[in-house]
Amino acid sequence: MMGVRVAEDKCIGCKICIYACPEPNVIKLTDSKKVTIECIKCKSCLLCVSACPKKALTKDEA
Amino acid sequence: MSNRIITPVKEFEDLLPQEYKDLVADGPFFAEKGVDDLGTFKEIMEQHPHCAGCGEALGMRLVLAGLPTPQDTLIIGTPGCSFFGLAQTALNYSNTAFGNQNAVASGLKRMLQIRYPDKHKDVVVMVGDGGIADIGLDYTLHSWFRKEKITTIMLDNEVYGNTGGQESGMSKEGKVLNMAPTGKKFPKIPVFELAKTSGCCYVAKVTIASPKKIGKVIRRAILIAREIGPTYVQLFTPCPTNLKFAPDQTLKVAKEAEKDYYPFEEFISDDAAAYLAKVEQAKGDGKS
Ligand SMILES: Cc1ncc(C[n+]2csc(CCOP(=O)(O)OP(=O)(O)O)c2C)c(N)n1
Ligand code: SF4
Ligand code: SF4
Ligand code: SF4
Ligand SMILES: [Mg+2]
């Protein structure tokens, strides 16, 4: 499956990835100020991965 | 549309799809949302068939998040890739024959002013660079000359994306495209400058690499069009498929363009500036 994995320990909740994703309602901020990604709607463009300043996102190869 | 129309009838509430229920409970209709709030509310655009990494899809997503009152907004489109995303959006939306968008928008705005004299109905044109700078240029300019109270947004990907890569008037000089094999022979058409001299009272140029600026200029453009006159926003939304870069490079391409030839610019007429100062002060926003 396509998708992106979030390393929660690295994510600072800055939302830059959310402003970078061309797909609506895919990356969400949780109550604990980390992001979650609904991979079933993700097109694996990897714009969020390139945009994240903390390298908290990686392509999910699984 | 209005919040009254969006509100489900009690008896049928359970039958509605989850996406609709989410929009009512958690969308931007009953509680005002902006670009800053993305990731924490249900967006009005749904899954769409734009290519991976499409700058235009990202641009539309940001513009839609910036609409001040989506429930009272009417979007006018025209052929081009943007109709993929717009057709998936929970808004009043009308397509038009290619290039006719500003003529149709003018008529709809006038009709809405008659039908709802005490209410703002925002008429917003959102179409591609080919739709504005080439086939629709005459209708666009004339709507500005006539001072129609509409907002025009160009999604400038510098190519005819939807039909496989013909050059547009907004393509860069020298650009080689699938169907411009020897390169474009003249510079980008100065639509931004034309807007300033043709009657627009607010004009802004921005790229998808500056999401918060998009939120700010869309809000300004729409508020000013309510009271003062026509407004224009030119948004750089590069197309990985036809400009031939990898989909994860879209924002890098936009950022470089911002430095190189697509800097942020804003023009505002004196009467629009006075009006804006009044509404931004009243709301305590407008900070940048
Ligand atoms: C009158 C007419 N001529 C030609 C077309 C074919 N056509 C559809 S979209 C398009 C180009 C759109 O380019 P642009 O406005 O830049 O939008 P983009 O697809 O790049 O977003 C053309 C030529 C049409 N639909 N109608
Ligand atoms: S850009 Fe990176 S650090 Fe910022 S919210 Fe997204 S994943 Fe977290
Ligand atoms: S890879 Fe692309 S589509 Fe998937 S979450 Fe990241 S930005 Fe969105
Ligand atoms: S062709 Fe270009 S503008 Fe059209 S959907 Fe694909 S990436 Fe977006
Ligand atoms: Mg185009």
Side-chain angles (χ1 to χ4, degrees):
Chain A
M1 196 177 79
M2 300 199 286
V4 169
R5 196 188 295 267
V6 188
E8 280 213 7
D9 53 327
K10 293 186 184 164
C11 174
I12 55 164
C14 67
K15 301 216 300 181
I16 289 175
C17 54
I18 295 177
Y19 303 129
C21 179
E23 308 303 312
N25 300 306
V26 170
I27 316 183
K28 297 274 175 63
L29 195 71
T30 65
D31 291 340
S32 51
K33 302 281 180 253
K34 309 275 175 191
V35 294
T36 56
I37 298 182
E38 201 176 333
C39 285
I40 197 152
K41 294 182 184 169
C42 163
K43 289 181 186 161
S44 273
C45 68
L46 307 184
L47 273 171
C48 56
V49 175
S50 319
C52 175
K54 295 290 165 190
K55 302 209 176 339
L57 303 175
T58 43
K59 185 178 180 189
D60 194 346
E61 307 279 1
Chain B
M1 216 157 67
S2 69
N3 278 342
R4 190 176 60 82
I5 293 171
I6 296 160
T7 309
V9 177
K10 269 274 162 285
E11 291 80 348
F12 293 118
E13 215 170 37
D14 283 352
L15 301 172
L16 290 167
Q18 191 57 44
E19 285 81 2
Y20 191 97
K21 292 186 206 165
D22 290 347
L23 266 179
V24 174
D26 202 21
F29 296 125
F30 295 88
E32 206 177 305
K33 304 287 181 195
V35 171
D36 285 355
D37 303 306
L38 280 168
T40 65
F41 69 97
K42 168 75 176 171
E43 292 171 56
I44 55 179
M45 193 196 260
E46 266 302 326
Q47 281 180 278
H48 55 62
H50 286 257
C51 310
C54 175
E56 210 172 82
L58 174 55
M60 283 194 284
R61 192 182 154 239
L62 296 167
V63 167
L64 293 169
L67 296 176
T69 40
Q71 64 275 33
D72 290 308
T73 302
L74 189 62
I75 301 273
I76 310 300
T78 213
C81 285
S82 49
F83 63 16
F84 295 141
L86 289 176
Q88 298 295 99
T89 299
L91 280 180
N92 274 317
Y93 162 61
S94 171
N95 211 308
T96 58
F98 196 32
N100 289 18
Q101 59 276 0
N102 281 51
V104 172
S106 302
L108 283 168
K109 179 70 192 190
R110 293 186 195 186
M111 180 273 287
L112 288 166
Q113 280 176 319
I114 296 167
R115 173 68 182 78
Y116 301 99
D118 307 320
K119 227 174 177 294
H120 290 299
K121 294 283 178 183
D122 301 322
V123 176
V124 178
V125 171
M126 183 146 53
V127 302
D129 48 311
I132 291 180
D134 294 338
I135 192 162
L137 187 62
D138 48 356
Y139 290 137
T140 305
L141 290 176
H142 275 268
S143 75
W144 294 342
F145 296 145
R146 292 194 308 269
K147 304 234 173 238
E148 304 287 350
K149 288 181 174 159
I150 56 181
T151 297
T152 305
I153 302 169
M154 177 195 284
L155 301 164
D156 183 12
N157 58 4
E158 304 188 325
V159 64
Y160 288 10
N162 195 233
T163 40
Q166 295 80 7
E167 73 175 46
S168 116
M170 298 304 285
S171 301
K172 284 175 78 178
E173 186 166 15
K175 184 73 191 169
V176 173
L177 296 158
N178 284 346
M179 281 168 259
T182 58
K184 191 192 180 216
K185 305 283 187 254
F186 64 97
K188 277 173 84 76
I189 295 177
V191 179
F192 187 79
E193 283 67 30
L194 289 172
K196 286 197 266 188
T197 52
S198 304
C200 286
C201 44
Y202 178 80
V203 184
K205 193 198 283 187
V206 63
T207 87
I208 48 166
S210 298
K212 304 218 171 169
K213 279 203 185 107
I214 294 177
K216 190 175 91 175
V217 305
I218 292 302
R219 185 176 172 81
R220 288 185 163 180
I222 291 175
L223 294 182
I224 291 170
R226 286 180 183 173
E227 294 290 345
I228 312 293
T231 58
Y232 174 63
V233 177
Q234 189 173 305
L235 178 56
F236 182 54
T237 58
C239 161
T241 303
N242 285 290
L243 303 183
K244 301 189 195 295
F245 54 83
D248 67 345
Q249 296 299 298
T250 306
L251 285 167
K252 188 164 164 248
V253 169
K255 223 171 263 172
E256 277 167 9
E258 227 170 66
K259 273 195 239 139
D260 185 17
Y261 69 99
Y262 227 108
F264 177 70
E265 276 183 65
E266 208 179 24
F267 159 85
I268 183 161
S269 69
D270 291 342
D271 51 348
Y275 168 71
L276 193 65
K278 214 171 62 191
V279 290
E280 288 187 345
Q281 199 177 23
K283 234 197 139 264
D285 64 11
K287 44 200 184 287
S288 57

